[in-house]
Amino acid sequence: MIQIRLSHPFPHPQPSLFPPPQQQSKIKRSRQLLFPPKQDEPQDPPQPVAAKSLMLKPPKDLFTVYSILGIIKCEKIRQYTFFNICGIICNECKRQEKRRNQMKRIDFERIFDNIRRDQTMVHCITNYVTINDVANMILAIGASPIMADDWMEVREITAMCDSLVINMGTLKQNTVRSMLLAGKEANQRGHLVVFDPVGVGASRFRKETAAKLLKQIHFNVIRGNISEIKTLYEGSDDGYGVDAKKDDAVTEDNLEYVIQMAKNMAKKTKAVIVITGKTDLVTDGQQIYLIDNGVLDMSRITGTGCMLDGVIAGFIGANPDQILEAVTTAVSAMGICGEYAKEKAEGTGTLKVHLMDAMSNMNAEWMERSSQIESKC
Ligand SMILES: Nc1ncnc2c1ncn2[C@@H]1O[C@H](COP(=O)(O)OP(=O)(O)OP(=O)(O)O)[C@@H](O)[C@H]1O
Ligand SMILES: Cc1ncsc1CCO
């Protein structure tokens, strides 16, 4: 007799990366907070987080399952196993149906039409490491980039563009002045602004600049990896570079904390907060989207985050009336491009080329087919 054991679908809980609340408050007290909570400000209670969906693709034909189970000789065990599998498949079908329904709320068609109808112009004040890739990625979505960072001209450039990216990657004193001038000009004209606090935990200069920019400019979107967003929120000063620290990785155990952090930050800054990584998170403080597109290799080439800043700016510049949805679409699109590129690439060099190829062919139909977006309130 063959025994079939159905393994438990959910992984064992992992130890939390974040200390419990009492310890956290001790750590926070010793830090200078960029967004200190007001005494009387109600903090959102933690929301329950749904368990990660079981990665099981329901087979189209249950008869196939039954006939495979034919190898089990005992009728009772065969039936028992079959009904268990049916149960799992049903739950997965329900989950997939729910996901599809939730996704219907984002009108990908309209978002892509808007980008490709008008030539959206994006002004970037960005770093010299990835500037060329950012410009090409903006072209790939059908928008038009202009990279300009001298304070003598940034106000004029911003004035004629639909959106602006401020990326702190290779910060210089002169560009800080340009960032402030451009950001204020964009705010006055109602143009949309994306902020990427690259490596904000790496130096005092970066941290002070981020605080100054956040004080003087209203950003519509703030995007960073988990370490960058945590530094902005908690004011932590444990040095790290432009990549996320391994210890900060978002897991099922700390997801609730990260969601709360992002929501609080969105409310305080009135910006859509985007935290990228294995699972991307997008929130305006109320609605939250968790995006499961993308591949690990995207973090092995520099600038996928910077490229995403440009893509987000293009999407919101063309869709100012649906910023949250446009940002979510941009983030998911980037992940889908990564998945495609991973299939085609022979290494990290060609990964970048395929990433760009994919973005230039991205459309609503591909989004419908491949996006993994879960929405919560
Ligand atoms: N482990 C991962 N699995 C899947 N996708 C990932 C992973 N890490 C990063 N990504 C994807 O890579 C892109 C960039 O995210 P990341 O968090 O690496 O940005 P970043 O650190 O700001 O990048 P950079 O500074 O190099 O521009 C996003 O689209 C994200 O979804
Ligand atoms: C590697 C690097 N250093 C400063 S900016 C940058 C590109 C990724 O953010």
Side-chain angles (χ1 to χ4, degrees), residues 212-228:
K212 200 186 284 179
L213 293 171
L214 283 160
K215 200 166 166 203
Q216 297 189 35
I217 299 168
H218 168 242
F219 293 103
N220 302 89
V221 181
I222 301 173
R223 188 212 67 86
N225 61 44
I226 178 68
S227 301
E228 290 159 349

Side-chain angles (χ1 to χ4, degrees), residues 127 129-130 167-170 198 206 228 242-243 302-303 306:
N127 66 76
V129 182
T130 64
N167 173 305
M168 294 202 328
T170 45
V198 183
R206 283 175 197 248
E228 290 159 349
V242 297
D243 299 319
T302 193
C306 307

Side-chain angles (χ1 to χ4, degrees), residues 130 167 196 198 223-226 228 242-244 275-280 293-299 301-308 331 334-335:
T130 64
N167 173 305
D196 185 341
V198 183
R223 188 212 67 86
N225 61 44
I226 178 68
E228 290 159 349
V242 297
D243 299 319
I275 301 178
T276 49
K278 187 172 183 299
T279 296
D280 306 304
N293 293 111
V295 290
L296 175 64
D297 279 9
M298 292 170 82
S299 60
I301 53 174
T302 193
T304 44
C306 307
M307 292 180 229
L308 179 56
V331 174
M334 187 72 182

Side-chain angles (χ1 to χ4, degrees), residues 136-153:
N136 277 315
M137 212 48 147
I138 292 171
L139 282 168
I141 60 168
S144 179
I146 176 158
M147 322 318 249
D149 64 7
D150 197 287
W151 66 269
M152 282 288 280
E153 64 167 355

Side-chain angles (χ1 to χ4, degrees), residues 68-366:
I68 292 169
L69 292 178
I71 53 171
I72 303 173
K73 292 283 171 284
C74 173
E75 176 68 21
K76 274 192 182 151
I77 293 179
R78 186 167 61 233
Q79 280 180 4
Y80 174 79
T81 311
F82 180 66
F83 288 125
N84 267 313
I85 290 176
C86 286
I88 292 171
I89 291 170
C90 276
N91 284 337
E92 179 58 15
C93 287
K94 275 187 219 149
R95 267 193 288 271
Q96 288 194 359
E97 181 61 27
K98 200 171 148 202
R99 225 180 287 145
R100 269 195 296 275
N101 288 340
Q102 285 167 338
M103 275 170 46
K104 272 183 202 146
R105 278 190 244 148
I106 298 184
D107 188 346
F108 297 133
E109 195 91 45
R110 185 154 84 95
I111 288 172
F112 276 87
D113 281 354
N114 286 342
I115 288 187
R116 284 164 187 165
R117 197 187 43 233
D118 309 314
Q119 199 173 27
T120 309
M121 288 186 70
V122 183
H123 175 196
C124 300
I125 302 179
T126 190
N127 66 76
Y128 50 72
V129 182
T130 64
I131 190 165
N132 183 263
D133 297 329
V134 175
N136 277 315
M137 212 48 147
I138 292 171
L139 282 168
I141 60 168
S144 179
I146 176 158
M147 322 318 249
D149 64 7
D150 197 287
W151 66 269
M152 282 288 280
E153 64 167 355
V154 286
R155 287 181 60 194
E156 284 168 80
I157 307 281
T158 289
M160 67 178 184
C161 288
D162 300 282
S163 53
L164 166 71
V165 173
I166 293 183
N167 173 305
M168 294 202 328
T170 45
L171 207 54
K172 289 190 246 72
Q173 286 173 63
N174 273 340
T175 35
V176 175
R177 183 176 181 186
S178 307
M179 287 169 177
L180 289 167
L181 285 169
K184 286 177 189 171
E185 183 71 28
N187 281 172
Q188 270 171 18
R189 291 178 177 271
H191 296 182
L192 302 169
V193 195
V194 178
F195 178 44
D196 185 341
V198 183
V200 61
S203 70
R204 215 177 77 192
F205 178 41
R206 283 175 197 248
K207 208 168 157 191
E208 285 172 1
T209 301
K212 200 186 284 179
L213 293 171
L214 283 160
K215 200 166 166 203
Q216 297 189 35
I217 299 168
H218 168 242
F219 293 103
N220 302 89
V221 181
I222 301 173
R223 188 212 67 86
N225 61 44
I226 178 68
S227 301
E228 290 159 349
I229 299 296
K230 259 183 85 185
T231 299
L232 289 187
Y233 186 73
E234 295 176 351
S236 48
D237 35 27
D238 35 350
Y240 60 90
V242 297
D243 299 319
K245 282 191 295 178
K246 282 204 173 68
D247 285 357
D248 286 339
V250 180
T251 66
E252 278 184 37
D253 289 320
N254 63 26
L255 181 62
E256 220 173 291
Y257 174 83
V258 175
I259 287 177
Q260 236 14 79
M261 172 177 81
K263 278 186 163 182
N264 289 340
M265 196 165 153
K267 284 177 194 159
K268 282 186 175 143
T269 56
K270 298 193 170 42
V272 168
I273 302 296
V274 183
I275 301 178
T276 49
K278 187 172 183 299
T279 296
D280 306 304
L281 197 147
V282 178
T283 183
D284 60 357
Q286 303 293 335
Q287 179 85 11
I288 186 134
Y289 288 105
L290 298 178
I291 301 152
D292 261 325
N293 293 111
V295 290
L296 175 64
D297 279 9
M298 292 170 82
S299 60
R300 295 180 61 213
I301 53 174
T302 193
T304 44
C306 307
M307 292 180 229
L308 179 56
D309 299 338
V311 173
I312 290 173
F315 273 65
I316 60 172
N319 292 279
D321 58 331
Q322 42 176 348
I323 294 179
L324 182 68
E325 290 77 10
V327 173
T328 306
T329 306
V331 174
S332 175
M334 187 72 182
I336 296 170
C337 292
E339 290 162 14
Y340 168 90
K342 167 85 180 157
E343 290 293 311
K344 298 273 173 185
E346 288 166 21
T348 53
T350 45
L351 186 84
K352 193 172 83 180
V353 176
H354 288 297
L355 202 60
M356 239 163 242
D357 276 355
M359 193 55 92
S360 65
N361 289 307
M362 185 49 67
N363 56 28
E365 195 268 319
W366 195 355

